[in-house]
Structures are given as C-alpha cells and as structure tokens.
C-alpha cells in the first residue's frame, strides 16, 4: 500500500543524521531530487483510487515538507558548528588567504621611476585622450610632416580642415612634456610614465596599447654628455654595474641630434647569444637633445636654454629583465603568468 510506504519514509526522514555538507547533499538527492523517493511516490499517485487521492495527496505533501525541513535543519546545524569551531579554536591553523601580487609591468615601472627619482626627476602626468596640438604640433610635427606617418594614431575626432583640432588617443607621452613646458619655465626635470595607444595589429611582438616612460631635462648649458651620463647610470642601476651602453644616430622630430641606445646583453655579457641576435647588444630606448623648435613652440627661449629627452617602453624593459616572449601575456590577466612574479614583489 502507498500509505504504508509513506509512513515508513516519514519515520526514516525523522531519524536522518548528517555530519558534513556532502552527506546532506546525498540525503537531498535521495529524497527530494527528480529521481528521489518522494518523486517516485508522485508517479504512483496516478494509480490511487479516486476516493483515496485526497488522503494520499495530503500524506505525500506532509512527507515532502518533513524531508525539506529536516534537511535544512541538518544544514543549519553543520554551518553553525563550523562557525562556532572557528570562533572558539584559537589554535586552529589560519585560513589560507591567497594574496595577490603586483603586475610585472608595475614592478618594472616602479623600479624605473625610483631610479630616476633618485637622480632628481619628478613625476608628471597628463590625459590619455589628447589633442593634436600637444601630441604632434608642439613636438615639431608639421601638418604635412612625413613623421606623422611613423605612428598609426587612434583618432577620436578628426578635422578635415585643421589638424590642430584633432582629438586622439596619445601615441606617446611626449604630450605631457609639452604641457609641462608651456606652463613652467626651466629648470625642468621630469619623467612621464603612462599608457599610449597606436593602431597596430596585436601580435606576440606588438600591441595596440603599451606603456612608456619619457624623461625631460631643460636648463642652461645642458649637453649631450649630461644625457649620456644619466642613461649610463640608469642602465647600470637597472641591469647591473657591468652594463655598457652605446648610442647610435637616429631620427626623431622632437630631438636633434637623436640617438637610439643599446645596452650590452645581460644574458651573454656581450659575447653574443640568441636573445641579442648574436650582436652582444640590445636596444632599450630613444633619446636626444630637445629640438630648439620644440622649446620655442612651448614658450621657452632656445637661445638661453637647452635640454635632453629620452623615452623607453616599459614592456621592452620587462621583456629584457624577465624574458617574456609574448607581449599579449601582459594584458590577458592569466593568473598562472602573474604568479610567476610573486617573488619580485
């Protein structure tokens, strides 16, 4: 009889016990799931005589409610016991809270800023959404200057008649230098860390956004020798006291003369290896003396003052220090990758 089976299950449910969450889940599946005991009774209910359906239906509902209440009560007991044991047992091992770590780019960025700060450079910041005036025009890029094609720019608003009205995502942090120079007279000694954007295909060696740190020093009688000494000190602080540098002639619209700086490969010691393509040298930054036109455009007398500027990519330096082969790893937030830098924090 179905009523006898219901009574048996009622007695069984009232005596249920559980000591952990897994056992409670097993009880729930046994009695309340789609394939459980109570659902099986509902299937049998269709065959009950019409004059008994009311009584049997009430009993099944009573059984279902009883099972539901009993399982919930057991669950509450276990949760309460766990909470009380955590509050009372002061000798229990601390809960293993996982601590995060700094991003590798942040680690290297902070190290670079610290080195230049000890040389007297101060931090300067500016907007990432910029205008053409500060990104290009005041950096000696004429409206038809071919150097504008050197950087594929993300334009937010573009004017067909007047390029100085263009609004864009900055393609270098030189715009911060322009903003400082137009508001402050020398001496100026700043570094400008920040994120920049260029319309490039995303690959293992390139990305549409990356991070730069640019430096600027303007004062009376600043020479290329001053620039070389600062960069040599920086390279030896960052990569080791035996690091050598070399400067190769280059071209940038905002510096003249311009150079690119290489350091001796810190992996092979300058002997030559696969990392430095067997040359013994690795390029890390661009630099040069600030073009007099830039000084004049920013309201500084180029006959009285001179200066130097340099710029480096944080991803590039991070690759050199930690040999990360794929730039995309820096922005994918893969915790397995980030965990590798816990010891560097």
């Amino acid at each position: 009889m179905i009523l006898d089976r219901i009574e048996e299950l009622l007695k069984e449910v009232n005596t249920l016990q559980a000591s952990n969450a897994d056992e409670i889940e097993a009880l729930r599946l046994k009695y309340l799931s789609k394939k459980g005991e109570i659902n099986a009774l509902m299937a049998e209910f269709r065959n009950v005589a019409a004059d008994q359906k009311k009584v049997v239906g009430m009993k099944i509902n009573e059984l279902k409610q009883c099972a539901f209440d009993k399982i919930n009560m057991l669950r509450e007991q276990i949760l309460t016991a766990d909470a009380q044991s955590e509050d009372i047992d002061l000798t229990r091992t601390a809960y293993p809270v996982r601590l995060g770590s700094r991003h590798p780019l942040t680690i290297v960025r902070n190290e670079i800023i610290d080195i230049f700060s000890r040389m007297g450079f101060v931090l300067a910041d500016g907007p990432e959404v910029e205008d053409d005036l500060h990104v290009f025009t005041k950096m000696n890029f004429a409206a038809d200057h071919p150097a504008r094609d050197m950087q594929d720019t993300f334009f937010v608003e573009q004017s067909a008649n007047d390029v100085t009205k263009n609004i864009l995502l900055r393609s270098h942090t030189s715009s911060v230098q322009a903003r400082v120079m137009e508001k402050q007279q020398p001496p100026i000694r700043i570094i400008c860390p920040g994120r920049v954007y260029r319309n490039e295909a995303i690959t293992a060696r390139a990305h549409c956004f990356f991070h730069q740190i640019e430096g600027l020093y303007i004062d009376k009688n600043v020479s290329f020798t001053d620039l070389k000494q600062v960069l040599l000190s920086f390279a030896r602080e960052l990569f080791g006291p035996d690091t050598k540098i070399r400067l190769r002639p280059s071209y940038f619209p905002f510096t003249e003369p311009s150079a690119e700086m290489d350091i001796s490969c810190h992996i092979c010691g300058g002997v030559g290896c696969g990392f430095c393509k067997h040359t013994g040298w690795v390029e890390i930054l661009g630099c040069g003396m600030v073009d007099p036109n830039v000084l004049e455009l920013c309201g500084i007398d180029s006959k009285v003052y001179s200066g130097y500027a340099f710029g480096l990519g944080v991803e590039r330096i991070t690759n050199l220090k930690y040999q990360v082969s794929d730039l995309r790893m820096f922005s994918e937030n893969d915790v397995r990758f980030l965990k590798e830098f816990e010891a560097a924090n």
Side-chain angles (χ1 to χ4, degrees):
M1 288 282 296
I2 189 170
L3 287 173
D4 294 336
R5 177 62 180 151
I6 293 173
E7 289 297 332
E8 290 177 10
L9 288 173
L10 272 171
K11 292 177 182 178
E12 193 175 306
V13 165
N14 285 322
T15 59
L16 291 179
Q17 297 294 330
S19 58
N20 55 56
D22 290 339
E23 290 181 2
I24 290 175
E25 179 62 12
L27 293 175
R28 187 192 70 80
L29 292 174
K30 179 179 179 181
Y31 294 101
L32 297 173
S33 67
K34 288 184 178 181
K35 297 182 179 181
E37 298 281 0
I38 296 174
N39 218 43
L41 290 175
M42 296 297 293
E44 293 183 35
F45 181 72
R46 292 194 295 267
N47 302 322
V48 174
D51 60 338
Q52 291 186 332
K53 279 187 180 293
K54 182 177 180 180
V55 176
V56 173
M58 291 175 63
K59 281 291 185 179
I60 292 176
N61 287 335
E62 180 186 348
L63 171 62
K64 185 175 182 180
Q65 188 62 45
C66 183
F68 184 81
D69 292 343
K70 184 68 174 181
I71 290 172
N72 277 344
M73 184 188 71
L74 293 172
R75 183 180 287 112
E76 287 294 328
Q77 287 177 350
I78 290 175
L79 290 175
T80 303
D82 287 346
Q84 288 176 346
S85 65
E86 287 181 3
D87 291 340
I88 296 172
D89 187 2
L90 300 179
T91 64
R92 183 175 177 180
T93 304
Y95 184 79
V97 179
R98 248 192 171 344
L99 297 177
S101 61
R102 287 187 177 88
H103 194 282
L105 294 180
T106 303
I107 297 170
V108 173
R109 173 184 176 275
N110 290 346
E111 189 173 356
I112 295 171
I113 290 173
D114 179 63
I115 292 171
F116 283 114
S117 295
R118 285 187 269 116
M119 296 183 190
F121 288 82
V122 297
L123 283 174
D125 194 15
E128 293 184 9
V129 180
E130 262 288 9
D131 55 36
D132 185 287
L133 179 67
H134 294 92
V135 174
F136 291 125
T137 304
K138 290 202 172 187
M139 287 291 108
N140 203 32
F141 290 78
D144 58 349
H145 199 298
R148 286 178 180 264
D149 297 330
M150 292 169 58
Q151 301 175 6
D152 295 323
T153 307
F154 283 110
F155 287 95
V156 179
E157 297 178 12
Q158 197 164 6
S159 171
N161 301 320
D162 186 356
V163 295
T164 61
K165 295 181 180 179
N166 291 340
I167 305 299
L168 48 97
L169 300 181
R170 65 184 182 189
S171 54
H172 50 204
T173 52
S174 301
S175 57
V176 181
Q177 299 179 23
R179 288 185 175 275
V180 171
M181 285 189 287
E182 69 183 9
K183 294 178 181 178
Q184 177 182 334
Q185 284 296 303
I188 298 171
R189 195 194 297 256
I190 59 170
I191 50 173
C192 318
R195 184 159 51 184
V196 299
Y197 305 84
R198 295 183 188 176
N199 189 12
E200 298 183 3
I202 298 175
T203 66
R205 300 178 62 84
H207 211 292
C208 62
F209 71 86
F210 53 98
H211 300 78
Q212 280 188 336
I213 295 181
E214 296 196 23
L216 175 71
Y217 177 44
I218 300 174
D219 205 345
K220 294 178 181 178
N221 302 317
V222 177
S223 68
F224 203 96
T225 302
D226 299 323
L227 169 63
K228 182 178 179 181
Q229 185 57 48
V230 163
L231 295 180
L232 177 62
S233 300
F234 161 70
R236 288 180 173 173
E237 282 274 348
L238 192 63
F239 295 103
D242 297 327
T243 303
K244 298 177 182 178
I245 68 170
R246 72 175 183 183
L247 297 169
R248 295 178 287 105
S250 186
Y251 167 75
F252 304 108
F254 32 83
T255 54
E256 180 57 39
S258 303
E260 290 182 348
M261 189 181 92
D262 303 331
I263 61 167
S264 54
C265 180
H266 61 289
I267 295 176
C268 65
V271 177
C273 65
F275 187 77
C276 62
K277 298 179 181 178
H278 302 283
T279 64
W281 298 94
V282 181
E283 177 192 338
I284 67 165
L285 58 82
C287 61
M289 300 300 294
V290 178
D291 192 299
N293 288 337
V294 173
L295 296 176
E296 296 293 342
L297 288 167
C298 294
I300 296 175
D301 190 345
S302 62
K303 295 182 177 63
V304 178
Y305 298 103
S306 58
Y308 61 71
F310 56 85
L312 53 90
V314 179
E315 281 85 349
R316 176 67 171 164
I317 302 297
T318 307
N319 279 347
L320 294 176
K321 284 182 69 69
Y322 299 116
Q323 300 178 46
V324 179
S325 59
D326 192 334
L327 281 177
R328 292 169 293 192
M329 296 295 293
F330 291 130
S331 56
E332 288 181 347
N333 289 328
D334 188 329
V335 294
R336 295 170 298 179
F337 170 72
L338 299 177
K339 280 182 64 178
E340 297 178 13
F341 299 90
E342 288 179 348
N345 284 270

